[in-house]
Amino acid sequence: MEGSSRATRRRNGTDLFKKPKIPFALALIVADAILVALIIAYVPYTKIDWDAYMSQVSGFLGGERDYGSLKGDTGPLVYPAGFLYVYSAVQNLTGGQVYPAQILFGLLYIANLAIVFFIYLKTDVVPWWALTLLCLSKRIHSIFVLRLFNDCFAMTLLHASIALFLSRKWHLGMLLFSGAVSVKMNVLLYAPPLLLLLLKAMNIIGVISALATAALLQILVGLPFLLAYPVSYLANAFDLGRVFIHFWSVNFKFVPERVFVSKEFAVCLLIAHLSLLAVFANYKWCKHEGGIIGFMRSRRFFLTLPSSLSFSDLSVSGILAKEHIITTMFVGNFIGVVCARSLHYQFYSWYFYSLPYLLWRTSFPTWLRLILFLGIELCWNIYPSTPVSSALLLCLHLTVLLGLWFAPSDYPYILKQDQRHKKHK
C-alpha cells in the first residue's frame, strides 16, 4: 500500500509538470497578488462611485424602501437589490472606509482571477503562456482596486456560474447567475446563449425548473421593495431605456451626440444585436444540429413532455463539451458588447477576461491575436476617449467577431468514446 501510494504521488507530480498550465497559473496568481498589493499601497485611489454607493446603502440600512429615494452624489440607485445586500456587507466589513475596501476588492480580484483560470484550464484552447494576458490589464486592475465598482462583484459571480456550468451543475449555476444579475444587469448579455445551452443540456422540465430557480431568487432579493413600492423598484432597478452620457462613452464616440442619444440609433443597435445572436445561434452554435429549427425539431420541444418529470442536471441528448459551453457564453456576451450603445470604462470588465479565449478561438496567427489584444487594451486606456480611439475599438471588435464567424465550429457534445476514455484515465 505504501509503495503504491508513493507511486501515485510520483505520477501526480509528473502529470503536474506535463501540464505546465497549472503551476504557471498558480505562479501568475501569486505574482498578481503581489502586484495588487503594490497598487493598493502606492497608487492613489480614484473617487468615482464609492461615496454614492455608501450613501445608497446607508439609506437602505436606515429603512428606506422606495427605490426612487435611494440616492447618492451621482444620482439615484439604478441597480437591482442584490447590489444593496453586497455593498451593505462591504460597508459592514470596512466601516465604509476606502483603504480596507481596497484590500477587500484586492482579494475579490484574486478570487475572480482564480475562477477565470479554472475556466481556461478546463480546455486546451489557449496556450499556457497566453494566460499571462489575463494579468496584464492596467484598466482592469484599476476597476477592481482603485475604483471599487459593482461590476467586479457581478463578473466574479458570473464567472463562478460558468465554472459550475462546466461541471454540469446547471441549477446551482443559475442561482449564481441570477445573483450576478441582481448586482448589475449587464450580466443579462449572457442570457440568450445561456438559454440555448440549457435547452441543449436538459429536458424541458429541467430548463423550466432552472429558470424558475433564477426567477425565484430575483423575487426574494427584491421582496422588501416589491412589497413596499413595487413600481418604483421595477422602474429604477430594471430600467432598460437608460441613456448614458456621450462624453463618458468609450465606443461610438465618433457618432454625433444627437444621433448617439436618439431612440433610432438605439433601435438599430438592438436589431443588429438580435440579428447577430440569431445568425450565430443558427449557423455556429446549432450548426451540427441542423440550425435552430433542426435543433428544436430534434428535441421536439413543446410537442411532447419527457416520460418522467426529471429535474436532473444531466443532458438528455449528450454531455455538452466544455469548449462549446465557454465559446457560446463568451461569444454571446461579446456580441452584446459590440452592439452596446455606450461602454463606460468599468464596462471593460464585462468581457476582458474572455478576450484571450475568443482570440484563440479564431484562426488568426498568434501575432495578430496579440496585436488585437493590445489594441483593445490601448483603446480602453485612452482618457478621455476620442472619435479616433472609439472608431479603432469598433474596428478591433468587428475584426475579432469576423474571426469568430469564420472559425470552425466544433462538435458540441462529448462523444461516447471520449467519455469512456475519461473514465479509464
Side-chain angles (χ1 to χ4, degrees):
M1 287 290 291
E2 187 178 343
S4 65
S5 177
R6 283 199 298 269
T8 301
R9 285 197 295 271
R10 282 197 300 270
R11 186 166 61 251
N12 289 340
T14 304
D15 290 343
L16 189 66
F17 286 104
K18 284 182 179 178
K19 298 178 179 178
K21 273 189 178 182
I22 297 175
F24 189 69
L26 292 174
L28 285 176
I29 289 174
V30 173
D32 212 351
I34 295 172
L35 176 60
V36 166
L38 292 173
I39 292 172
I40 293 173
Y42 295 106
V43 181
Y45 153 78
T46 305
K47 177 184 173 182
I48 298 181
D49 284 342
W50 174 256
D51 289 345
Y53 291 171
M54 292 300 99
S55 296
Q56 292 158 355
V57 164
S58 296
F60 165 63
L61 295 177
E64 181 59 68
R65 295 298 178 264
D66 182 356
Y67 237 63
S69 299
L70 293 173
K71 298 180 180 180
D73 55 11
T74 59
L77 178 57
V78 292
Y79 309 119
F83 162 87
L84 288 173
Y85 300 129
V86 168
Y87 275 85
S88 292
V90 171
Q91 187 184 74
N92 184 58
L93 290 170
T94 65
Q97 300 301 306
V98 169
Y99 183 69
Q102 286 183 280
I103 295 174
L104 179 62
F105 272 78
L107 295 173
L108 180 67
Y109 174 91
I110 296 302
N112 177 64
L113 183 64
I115 295 169
V116 171
F117 280 157
F118 175 84
I119 294 171
Y120 274 70
L121 292 173
K122 285 293 184 178
T123 74
D124 294 320
V125 172
V126 178
W128 62 271
W129 59 266
L131 295 177
T132 309
L133 299 176
L134 295 166
C135 306
L136 294 181
S137 174
K138 176 184 176 182
R139 179 62 63 186
I140 292 298
H141 283 92
S142 174
I143 289 168
F144 270 83
V145 298
L146 297 180
R147 287 163 172 80
L148 316 178
F149 286 119
N150 61 326
D151 306 73
C152 306
F153 282 101
M155 296 314 298
T156 301
L157 288 171
L158 182 277
H159 292 143
S161 72
I162 293 177
L164 288 170
F165 297 148
L166 295 178
S167 302
R168 302 198 298 277
K169 304 296 183 184
W170 293 96
H171 283 79
L172 185 55
M174 284 301 293
L175 269 178
L176 286 186
F177 180 84
S178 184
V181 172
S182 76
V183 176
K184 191 159 186 177
M185 279 203 307
N186 70 280
V187 177
L188 287 176
L189 292 177
Y190 285 92
L194 177 56
L195 177 59
L196 178 61
L197 292 173
L198 290 174
L199 292 170
K200 287 189 175 192
M202 295 184 288
N203 61 40
I204 192 63
I205 300 299
V207 173
I208 292 173
S209 66
L211 294 176
T213 299
L216 180 61
L217 180 64
Q218 289 297 320
I219 293 172
L220 292 175
V221 166
L223 196 59
F225 307 97
L226 291 170
L227 292 175
Y229 299 94
V231 175
S232 177
Y233 176 67
L234 294 175
N236 287 280
F238 299 96
D239 181 7
L240 297 175
R242 217 158 35 112
V243 179
F244 292 97
I245 299 173
H246 181 256
F247 174 81
W248 292 110
S249 184
V250 178
N251 66 330
F252 293 118
K253 196 68 171 287
F254 56 89
V255 175
E257 185 171 1
R258 59 180 179 78
V259 177
F260 180 88
V261 300
S262 68
K263 187 170 291 185
E264 292 79 7
F265 186 55
V267 170
C268 288
L269 289 174
L270 177 61
I271 293 172
H273 184 191
L274 297 178
S275 299
L276 284 170
L277 285 175
V279 169
F280 268 82
N282 191 66
Y283 295 104
K284 302 295 290 184
W285 305 331
C286 292
K287 177 181 179 180
H288 295 277
E289 294 94 342
I292 296 176
I293 301 301
F295 169 66
M296 300 300 275
R297 283 176 178 169
S298 69
R299 295 291 301 276
R300 291 183 294 175
F301 290 115
F302 317 118
L303 297 179
T304 59
L305 286 174
S307 56
S308 60
L309 296 180
S310 172
F311 295 89
S312 172
D313 281 349
L314 297 179
S315 172
V316 295
S317 58
I319 297 174
L320 288 177
K322 292 178 174 60
E323 290 85 355
H324 182 64
I325 295 173
I326 299 173
T327 301
T328 304
M329 290 288 282
F330 282 175
V331 175
N333 175 68
F334 184 67
I335 289 171
V337 169
V338 172
C339 298
R341 173 163 52 168
S342 179
L343 294 175
H344 287 193
Y345 285 96
Q346 65 267 35
F347 297 179
Y348 190 28
S349 62
W350 295 2
Y351 74 109
F352 165 77
Y353 287 104
S354 67
L355 273 178
Y357 186 91
L358 293 174
L359 289 168
W360 262 265
R361 285 299 292 172
T362 70
S363 300
F364 295 149
T366 299
W367 63 266
L368 181 55
R369 292 167 177 154
L370 294 176
I371 288 175
L372 289 169
F373 180 86
L374 294 174
I376 291 173
E377 175 71 16
L378 173 65
C379 291
W380 281 97
N381 281 282
I382 294 175
Y383 176 81
S385 61
T386 66
V388 173
S389 68
S390 65
L392 176 60
L393 181 63
L394 179 61
C395 290
L396 294 170
H397 282 169
L398 293 177
T399 302
V400 176
L401 197 59
L402 281 173
L404 293 167
W405 173 254
F406 288 108
S409 298
D410 295 333
Y411 189 69
Y413 301 100
I414 297 177
L415 299 175
K416 290 183 179 179
Q417 56 264 34
D418 294 335
Q419 296 181 46
R420 286 197 298 268
H421 176 68
K422 288 187 177 181
K423 286 182 180 178
H424 291 305
K425 284 183 75 173

